[in-house]
Amino acid sequence: MASKAPPVGSRLRHVGWAAALGCALAGFLALTFHVNAIKSEVRLAERKIIALQREKLMLETEFQTRASQYQLSNWNRLEFGYAAPRADQYLESERQLAALGSPRGSNAPEPVKFARAETVADEGMFADWVSPLTGRSLSDEARQAAGEDAAQLAETSGATLAQRLARGAMASPGAEIGQ
């Protein structure tokens, strides 16, 4: 049996189908790219619309705020007699501010100088810890420091501010060098 060659029309048909399929695929890809380009333009337009709506809302809010500021300014001026501060009303230093104050009255309470509250947790917190420098327990050192603070407070509580500052200047290392 001899093999038969395929007819020429059959080959031409296969090439035609391949060309038609290629054209259809090319058209499909072109159409897909075109649709995606239009979708991205729509998304950009939607984003611009949202941005413009936000800007419009912000401008409306600012307009309402400025309108209410104008109304408040009118109320302050007409109803309450308020006015904007003038340049001569500003203070240049803390001394000018202090000069505006009045001295403390004779029946005014003393200002709070020191306040400390010890809690139950403070006493037992470091009970089993030992200081690496002294070898004593930290709770003993904390009690000793609290005693020193109390003694120092008792020592300085009766003194005036000028006396305490003078005592601090004498006790400072720089005071010995100057003498």
Side-chain angles (χ1 to χ4, degrees), residues 129-138 141:
W129 288 15
V130 176
S131 171
L133 298 175
T134 61
R136 296 188 325 195
S137 73
L138 288 179
E141 288 184 4

Side-chain angles (χ1 to χ4, degrees), residues 50-138:
I50 291 171
L52 290 173
Q53 286 174 343
R54 287 181 181 167
E55 186 177 352
K56 178 186 166 201
L57 180 63
M58 185 184 68
L59 291 174
E60 286 175 353
T61 304
E62 185 168 341
F63 180 76
Q64 290 172 354
T65 303
R66 288 181 186 249
S68 66
Q69 285 177 349
Y70 180 73
Q71 183 179 13
L72 286 174
S73 173
N74 281 339
W75 282 345
N76 285 336
R77 188 172 34 86
L78 298 174
E79 299 290 328
F80 306 118
Y82 295 153
R86 297 181 314 273
D88 62 340
Q89 291 177 316
Y90 288 99
L91 301 175
E92 293 181 15
S93 67
E94 291 84 9
R95 290 181 186 250
Q96 286 182 344
L97 180 63
L100 294 176
S102 58
R104 199 174 56 186
S106 60
N107 59 352
E110 288 290 321
V112 176
K113 295 178 183 173
F114 184 80
R116 180 175 179 177
E118 291 186 20
T119 62
V120 178
D122 289 343
E123 293 176 9
M125 184 183 303
F126 302 112
D128 56 345
W129 288 15
V130 176
S131 171
L133 298 175
T134 61
R136 296 188 325 195
S137 73
L138 288 179

